[in-house]
Amino acid sequence: MSLLLMCMVTSSCRDSENEKEALELERTVQKIDSLEMEMDKINQRIDQISDEVEETVEEIN
């Protein structure tokens, strides 16, 4: 009986640990997605600035 109880507790702890790991992984994925969106915005802004610089250079010439 105590062996069965120990197995149940151990299994419960593993499930809890797996749940924690899954939640941590999900948060990490969300952070990565957020950072990728930020990078896209930055890249778009860089492209805009590059276009503006190119236009300015053409105007100067």
Side-chain angles (χ1 to χ4, degrees), residues 49-61:
I49 292 171
S50 178
D51 290 344
E52 291 171 10
V53 167
E54 190 175 310
E55 288 175 12
T56 304
V57 168
E58 288 176 2
E59 288 175 8
I60 292 174
N61 290 334

Side-chain angles (χ1 to χ4, degrees), residues 11-57:
S11 176
S12 176
C13 288
R14 279 193 206 130
D15 290 345
S16 176
E17 190 63 32
N18 287 341
E19 227 175 89
K20 288 178 186 175
E21 288 175 4
L23 289 173
E24 185 176 331
L25 181 58
E26 180 61 29
R27 282 192 296 270
T28 302
V29 168
Q30 289 173 353
K31 287 178 185 177
I32 290 170
D33 288 344
S34 176
L35 290 171
E36 286 177 342
M37 288 189 295
E38 281 298 312
M39 284 297 298
D40 286 342
K41 290 178 186 177
I42 291 168
N43 286 331
Q44 288 174 355
R45 184 62 185 135
I46 289 171
D47 289 343
Q48 285 176 331
I49 292 171
S50 178
D51 290 344
E52 291 171 10
V53 167
E54 190 175 310
E55 288 175 12
T56 304
V57 168

